[in-house]
Amino acid sequence: MEGPICIYGNPVLRKQSEPVKKVTEEIRKLADRLLDIMYAGEGIGLAAEQIGRTEAIFVLDVPAEADKNAQGFPNNPGVEMPQAFINPEIIGSSEETAIAEEGCLSFPKLYIPVERPAEVVVRYLDRNGNVQVLNAKGLLARAIQHELDHLHGILLVDYMTPATKLQNMLLLRNLKKQSRNIK
Ligand code: NI
């Protein structure tokens, strides 16, 4: 498998990503590599910074069966997966929020509850360079916001309350140590 995933403590995870000027073959290859590494890590999303790159791009493959509403219907019918989101931007979000546990491939074994808008509208370029606008709810909305955070250097740890931080102090310290050893 190509390239390890950058673990919490690696400074690249705090960087602000740079917009992609043109969606080239190289960018498509980067999207494919992100997907490969994401699948190997059994994740549903991965941002470029997590493999040490600063292009504004993330990929998602949110399984439809894991993204259903209380009535058991798909939250986002007709949305194709996997997808690459290039230069993504949230252009609308619901006032209604939802709280759910999130994990992150850069924080192995850490799961913390995060409150986010329940629905978002995201505008982005697809892998062909076409502008797309997507209305997302449920797990997809959450995953989009989580990955977009990565592109702005915002991490799961930033959503922790002082109490959860204290609870997970040892785990976080070990991750930082681990990330120093990889380099
Ligand atoms: Ni993440």
Side-chain angles (χ1 to χ4, degrees), residues 50 104 146 150:
Q50 292 179 275
C104 178
H146 176 112
H150 275 298

Side-chain angles (χ1 to χ4, degrees), residues 18-87:
E18 284 153 30
V20 171
K21 290 200 184 82
K22 195 161 181 255
V23 181
T24 58
E25 198 51 36
E26 198 190 321
I27 292 297
R28 280 187 281 276
K29 277 189 189 144
L30 172 58
D32 291 339
R33 200 159 90 232
L34 281 166
L35 280 170
D36 285 345
I37 295 170
M38 181 191 83
Y39 289 132
E42 295 179 1
I44 60 168
L46 193 68
E49 302 199 347
Q50 292 179 275
I51 63 163
R53 301 277 294 249
T54 55
E55 291 92 337
I57 168 169
F58 64 76
V59 295
L60 287 180
D61 192 350
V62 176
E65 64 272 18
D67 195 8
K68 290 178 178 166
N69 65 19
Q71 287 74 41
F73 293 109
N75 278 320
N76 301 284
V79 176
E80 269 181 50
M81 286 285 145
Q83 273 208 55
F85 295 74
I86 301 161
N87 299 344

Side-chain angles (χ1 to χ4, degrees), residues 15-180:
K15 286 213 168 126
Q16 180 71 33
S17 64
E18 284 153 30
V20 171
K21 290 200 184 82
K22 195 161 181 255
V23 181
T24 58
E25 198 51 36
E26 198 190 321
I27 292 297
R28 280 187 281 276
K29 277 189 189 144
L30 172 58
D32 291 339
R33 200 159 90 232
L34 281 166
L35 280 170
D36 285 345
I37 295 170
M38 181 191 83
Y39 289 132
E42 295 179 1
I44 60 168
L46 193 68
E49 302 199 347
Q50 292 179 275
I51 63 163
R53 301 277 294 249
T54 55
E55 291 92 337
I57 168 169
F58 64 76
V59 295
L60 287 180
D61 192 350
V62 176
E65 64 272 18
D67 195 8
K68 290 178 178 166
N69 65 19
Q71 287 74 41
F73 293 109
N75 278 320
N76 301 284
V79 176
E80 269 181 50
M81 286 285 145
Q83 273 208 55
F85 295 74
I86 301 161
N87 299 344
E89 201 186 337
I90 287 186
I91 57 171
S93 52
S94 65
E95 267 179 43
E96 189 202 340
T97 61
I99 301 179
E101 282 213 330
E102 290 184 18
C104 178
L105 290 173
S106 294
F107 290 84
K109 293 183 187 142
L110 181 73
Y111 297 92
I112 59 151
V114 181
E115 183 173 14
R116 299 185 185 275
E119 295 182 31
V120 293
V121 184
V122 61
R123 183 172 56 202
Y124 60 101
L125 299 176
D126 65 18
R127 54 183 297 131
N128 298 313
N130 297 319
V131 178
Q132 302 284 350
V133 174
L134 174 66
N135 290 265
K137 43 178 109 164
L139 181 58
L140 180 60
R142 178 169 297 280
I144 286 169
Q145 294 174 82
H146 176 112
E147 298 311 328
L148 194 60
D149 274 353
H150 275 298
L151 301 183
H152 297 297
I154 299 166
L155 300 170
L156 216 45
V157 69
D158 302 331
Y159 290 92
M160 291 170 91
T161 61
T164 39
K165 225 179 228 175
L166 207 61
Q167 265 166 28
N168 292 286
M169 204 166 61
L170 208 61
L171 179 73
L172 291 174
R173 204 183 285 159
N174 284 337
L175 289 179
K176 275 195 169 170
K177 220 184 275 172
Q178 198 182 326
S179 89
R180 269 201 299 275

